[in-house]
Amino acid sequence: MTVEAPERTARVPLPVWILASSIFVLGTSEFVVAGLLPVIAADLGVTVPRAGLLISAFAVAMVLGAPAMAVLTLRLPRRTTLLAMLGVFAAGNVLAALSADYGYLLVGRVVTAVATGGFWAVAAVVTVSLTPERARARALAALVTGLTVSNIVGVPLGTFIGQQLGWRATFWTVAGLAVLAVPAVVALVPNPARTATATRLGTEVRAFRSGRLWLALATTAVFQGGLIALFAYVAPLLTDVAGLPAAAVPLVLAAFGLGNIVGINLGGRFADAYPWRTLFTGLAGTVAVLVLLGITAGGPVVTVALVLLLGVIGFSVAAPLNARVFALAGPAPTLASAVNASAFNVGNTVGPWLGGLVISAGLGYAAPAWVGAAMLTSALGLGLLSRRLDRRVEPSPVEPYAPSVRPECPMES
């Protein structure tokens, strides 16, 4: 007991918060386009749906770019990779700010997305390597908090800047913030140990021979798809179904974002000690909230309360899902981390598409809640299957899935 106590109370290392701050900048760039679509479309002479492809292109580029960058930078020191990704990210936003037509802007978004995926993958590996075993899920939750705060603060602020000073000013601002993040990473993220050897690509690829790893990635994608299937259409759900005024939507979304922070950190805290219990409770609770939304969406008070509850319970699942992937990746975490980021973005792509299908079929804006409930039920089934497979491999009466050995990492000092 005296050995485990420090691990349970271990704090998230300062470098992790520096990486989370960088994630805040990356997340702002990823989502701020949604608030600037009408301005961009009018300035470049394209339709709003065509401007909306800038969001889809970003998601697809992250799906493909994260694993590609993980492979290309595998032999580099991880701090060097983080700095390189920040540089490419800043360059992509500068290209977007200088774009005279839609094509150049699209290229700038793709470049930015690839850098974002590469940074995410390596930042997650560095987070795990610097954090004591019993605090890793909490540290990964802290990393995701940077993304959540970007939705609460960065996106509204970036939208305001774009509306007041032109959409290009937003991209210039984000590029500048990325440049400012560089000295913080240099100063506070440790140098790689000189004696450490980078993981070989073959070792990284061999980790994917594990069916349990693929099952974990599938769980991530299905979970994220189910959550975003409803959230992508939460604005018309609030106005057209629940009858709230349009002015109330930003307030509800801000409260939803605050719920995300609470859920992420609660999930991270409990997932370190009770990974399976946290995962199953979060998934089952999210299914219940989505079902209730599908049934009671006409009542404004109930709808708002359930949306806020969705933010807390739904996002509590992120920490155990991330920790699960690292547990199965073992000594070869970089490519697995990159593919995990891709899995989240697969969900971000598929979920809104499926939600849009049921709306287009005339089932109404509450129908995506049922799509989400079905997908989350499937994710719960995949999680139960994972638990069963784990028991076959390691039939221990108490078997947490956190890795028992710290993964090899050139960042170790």
Side-chain angles (χ1 to χ4, degrees), residues 16-84:
V16 175
W17 292 110
I18 297 300
L19 295 175
S21 299
S22 301
I23 294 294
F24 164 81
V25 179
L26 273 60
T28 298
S29 178
E30 179 175 358
F31 298 112
V32 75
V33 170
L36 297 174
L37 284 183
V39 180
I40 293 173
D43 186 55
L44 297 181
V46 298
T47 63
V48 170
R50 190 180 181 199
L53 293 177
L54 295 169
I55 301 174
S56 302
F58 196 104
V60 172
M62 273 200 71
V63 169
L64 301 176
M69 294 309 297
V71 170
L72 292 174
T73 62
L74 189 60
R75 304 295 296 177
L76 294 176
R78 288 187 174 129
R79 193 178 73 172
T80 301
T81 301
L82 292 172
L83 295 173

Side-chain angles (χ1 to χ4, degrees), residues 81-143:
T81 301
L82 292 172
L83 295 173
M85 292 302 100
L86 284 174
V88 174
F89 173 86
N93 279 281
V94 168
L95 176 59
L98 294 173
S99 298
D101 59 47
Y102 178 82
Y104 283 109
L105 178 56
L106 184 63
V107 172
R109 292 293 290 168
V110 169
V111 170
T112 303
V114 170
T116 299
F119 189 96
W120 258 110
V122 177
V125 175
V126 172
T127 294
V128 170
S129 74
L130 295 177
T131 306
E133 180 183 328
R134 298 294 293 182
R136 285 184 190 153
R138 186 150 39 102
L140 288 168
L143 199 65

Side-chain angles (χ1 to χ4, degrees), residues 123-413:
V125 175
V126 172
T127 294
V128 170
S129 74
L130 295 177
T131 306
E133 180 183 328
R134 298 294 293 182
R136 285 184 190 153
R138 186 150 39 102
L140 288 168
L143 199 65
V144 178
T145 298
L147 182 65
T148 304
V149 174
S150 74
N151 282 311
I152 300 172
V153 178
V155 171
L157 184 58
T159 301
F160 177 78
I161 291 173
Q163 290 172 341
Q164 300 302 313
L165 303 176
W167 60 269
R168 289 178 175 82
T170 299
F171 289 106
W172 281 116
T173 302
V174 171
L177 291 174
V179 172
L180 291 177
V182 168
V185 172
V186 171
L188 295 171
V189 175
N191 280 315
R194 292 183 181 276
T195 56
T197 56
T199 307
R200 294 183 178 275
L201 178 58
T203 304
E204 295 277 349
V205 172
R206 277 195 295 275
F208 286 86
R209 293 178 180 177
S210 168
R212 292 188 296 159
L213 177 57
W214 284 109
L215 193 58
L217 294 168
T219 306
T220 295
V222 175
F223 155 76
Q224 183 69 7
L227 195 62
I228 207 71
L230 181 279
F231 183 71
Y233 303 99
V234 72
L237 175 71
L238 293 171
T239 55
D240 293 19
V241 180
L244 290 171
V249 174
L251 298 176
V252 176
L253 293 180
F256 176 85
L258 293 174
N260 295 171
I261 295 177
V262 174
I264 287 168
N265 286 281
L266 281 176
R269 186 168 296 276
F270 284 105
D272 283 316
Y274 311 104
W276 288 114
R277 207 174 304 176
T278 304
L279 178 64
F280 295 147
T281 300
L283 289 173
T286 307
V287 171
V289 171
L290 288 169
V291 168
L292 288 173
L293 269 171
I295 295 172
T296 65
V301 176
V302 175
T303 300
V304 170
L306 289 173
V307 168
L308 301 185
L309 193 59
L310 182 67
V312 176
I313 298 178
F315 277 74
S316 70
V317 179
L321 283 177
N322 286 327
R324 172 70 177 164
V325 170
F326 278 98
L328 294 172
T334 306
L335 188 57
S337 173
V339 176
N340 191 44
S342 296
F344 274 103
N345 279 280
V346 168
N348 286 338
T349 303
V350 174
W353 174 66
L354 292 176
L357 285 181
V358 294
I359 293 172
S360 299
L363 299 179
Y365 288 116
W370 296 104
V371 174
M375 295 184 73
L376 265 295
T377 301
S378 300
L380 180 58
L382 293 174
L384 291 170
L385 178 59
S386 294
R387 180 65 171 134
R388 183 173 182 178
L389 292 175
D390 274 17
R391 283 176 169 166
R392 288 183 179 179
V393 174
E394 298 178 27
S396 170
V398 179
E399 193 245 323
Y401 61 59
S404 58
V405 188
R406 296 182 71 170
E408 295 173 5
C409 178
M411 292 299 305
E412 293 289 281
S413 55

